[in-house]
Amino acid sequence: MEDIKSESLQEEGVSLLGDEGSPTSLNQELGNRHDSRGSKRNSLLIVLLAISVVANILLLLPRRQSLGLIHRSKYAGLVNDFELPYAWDSDRSNPNDTERNKLWYEDEEADQGIMAVDNDEAISFGLPNSQPWSWDAKVKSIYITNGHHNLHCLRNIYISIDEHERGVPQSLGRHHILHCLGALYDDIKCNADDTPRYTDKHGRKPGEGQIRKCRDWSKLKAFVNEREGCFKYIKHDKEDIRIIERMKYCSNNSPYLPKIRKYFGFSSDWTPWPYVEQDTYLTKEHPS
Ligand SMILES: *[C@@H]1O[C@H](CO)[C@@H](O)[C@H](O)[C@H]1NC(C)=O
C-alpha cells in the first residue's frame, strides 16, 4: 500500500516535467485508479493555468504603467489616453504669416498656467513653498504648470524669430530667449520620449500621421482653472511693470474682484474681461 502511494506520487512528478513516457506497467497495475488520477491531473492543470493567468496579469501591470496607459500624473491625475497623430506641418507652422502670427501672438494659453494653489493642497502635493498670491496671501500661493511654462517659452522664441525676420528690435532680452531654449532642451531630455516614429524609404516626414497617446491638454486646463491664478502676461516687453498689474485678470465672476477694484481704485463696475489695453501701469519701486 505504501509502495503504490509513492509510485503514484512519482507518476505525478514525471508528468509535471512533461514526460509522457511513464511506465505503462504502472498504469496497468493501477488501472482501476486511472480515472481518479486523470481528474487529479485536470486539477493540476487548472491550478497551473490559474498561476499562469495571475503571473501574466502581474507581468502586464508594470508594463502597462511604463507605457503610460494606466499611469496617472501626480497632480492633475492625467492619463495618456488621448489619441493624436504626429503632424509634420501644423497650424503653428503655416507658411501664411497672417494666420500663423495670429496663433502665436494672440494665443494666451501661456498665461493660463498660473495657479493660486491652497497652501494645504501644496503641502499634500509635496511642493516647495511658493510666493503668496496677492488676493489671498495667507491661504494661497502662486505656481505655474511646467507645461504652460514650456508654452510661454516657445512663444517667446517664436516672437524673437519673428522680430528678427521682420528686422525690428528684439522685444525680449537675449537671456530670456536663451533661458527658454535651455529649459525646453532639458524638458525634452527629462521626458525621454521613447516613441519610435516610422520612416519611409526617402526619410521624409518620419512619423507623419502616426497615432500616439497623449494627455488631454483640456484636462490640464480644467485643473488650472479650478485654481484660478488670474494672470495675464500684459506688456511683456516692460521690465519695470509691477507683477500685480498682471495678476488682476480673474474671471468676471471671481469673488476677489472687490479686492482688486479697491487695490487699483477701479469703479464698482470694472471687470477684467473683455480685456482693455492700459495706457499706464504701476511700476516696480527701485531702491535708491
Ligand atoms: C493669408 O491668410 C489671410 C487670412 O486668412 C488671407 O487673407 C491671405 O490672402 C493669405 N495670404 C496668402 C498669400 O495666401
Side-chain angles (χ1 to χ4, degrees):
M1 194 61 197
E2 265 184 47
D3 268 347
I4 290 167
K5 209 174 173 184
S6 74
E7 270 172 347
S8 161
L9 280 173
Q10 203 187 354
E11 156 82 350
E12 271 183 22
V14 166
S15 98
L16 249 182
L17 294 171
D19 184 2
E20 294 304 320
S22 51
T24 47
S25 60
L26 189 69
N27 280 343
Q28 278 155 10
E29 221 174 300
L30 304 171
N32 57 337
R33 301 186 63 184
H34 187 82
D35 283 345
S36 96
R37 277 194 292 113
S39 76
K40 256 190 200 170
R41 228 180 242 147
N42 281 347
S43 348
L44 189 67
L45 281 178
I46 287 167
V47 169
L48 287 176
L49 193 66
I51 290 170
S52 162
V53 166
V54 170
N56 274 318
I57 288 169
L58 290 178
L59 280 173
L60 212 60
L61 276 179
R63 182 163 164 75
R64 289 185 67 180
Q65 282 210 351
S66 76
L67 287 172
L69 296 178
I70 286 181
H71 176 76
R72 285 188 177 273
S73 64
K74 185 171 176 186
Y75 308 105
L78 305 179
V79 179
N80 284 60
D81 58 356
F82 190 66
E83 290 196 342
L84 214 58
Y86 289 110
W88 195 258
D89 303 298
S90 78
D91 291 348
R92 301 244 160 201
S93 53
N94 185 344
N96 183 314
D97 292 343
T98 315
E99 290 178 3
R100 192 188 60 251
N101 281 339
K102 189 173 163 59
L103 288 179
W104 283 106
Y105 278 97
E106 293 180 19
D107 186 351
E108 288 165 350
E109 264 198 334
D111 296 352
Q112 292 163 8
I114 304 278
M115 297 182 287
V117 178
D118 263 51
N119 293 333
D120 288 344
E121 186 178 46
I123 289 167
S124 76
F125 280 157
L127 294 171
N129 288 343
S130 196
Q131 62 175 310
W133 187 64
S134 314
W135 313 114
D136 210 348
K138 290 203 176 88
V139 174
K140 297 181 178 186
S141 302
I142 303 174
Y143 293 83
I144 177 169
T145 73
N146 186 50
H148 286 87
H149 178 262
N150 282 345
L151 284 188
H152 163 73
C153 266
L154 215 52
R155 183 172 184 267
N156 283 346
I157 295 167
Y158 181 84
I159 289 171
S160 174
I161 291 170
D162 184 55
E163 286 167 347
H164 172 77
E165 196 68 21
R166 289 187 285 124
V168 302
Q170 293 282 307
S171 59
L172 289 152
R174 185 168 166 78
H175 63 279
H176 202 161
I177 301 301
L178 291 176
H179 146 72
C180 280
L181 284 169
L184 290 174
Y185 178 89
D186 284 349
D187 214 53
I188 290 167
K189 283 276 182 85
C190 176
N191 282 316
D193 187 344
D194 56 352
T195 314
R197 294 168 74 124
Y198 82 88
T199 61
D200 71 11
K201 64 182 173 185
H202 306 290
R204 287 182 306 230
K205 302 187 177 181
E208 169 78 349
Q210 182 178 334
I211 298 290
R212 51 161 160 188
K213 296 270 191 177
C214 300
R215 291 179 182 167
D216 184 345
W217 185 263
S218 71
K219 289 181 181 158
L220 177 59
K221 282 172 82 171
F223 174 78
V224 173
N225 288 343
E226 284 164 17
R227 294 156 185 80
E228 189 180 51
C230 306
F231 185 86
K232 180 172 168 56
Y233 193 36
I234 61 166
K235 304 193 184 296
H236 74 271
D237 54 342
K238 305 289 191 235
E239 301 250 342
D240 64 340
I241 190 171
R242 278 192 57 189
I243 295 301
I244 202 159
E245 285 281 11
R246 295 176 175 154
M247 302 290 317
K248 61 182 180 299
Y249 297 96
C250 299
S251 53
N252 283 352
N253 60 2
S254 163
Y256 294 103
L257 287 200
K259 268 191 179 176
I260 295 170
R261 291 185 189 115
K262 190 174 170 209
Y263 182 89
F264 288 98
F266 295 150
S267 63
S268 60
D269 60 356
W270 177 85
T271 53
W273 307 99
Y275 171 70
V276 178
E277 180 82 32
Q278 295 172 212
D279 298 327
T280 61
Y281 54 88
L282 298 177
T283 55
K284 287 175 187 166
E285 289 159 33
H286 297 284
S288 50

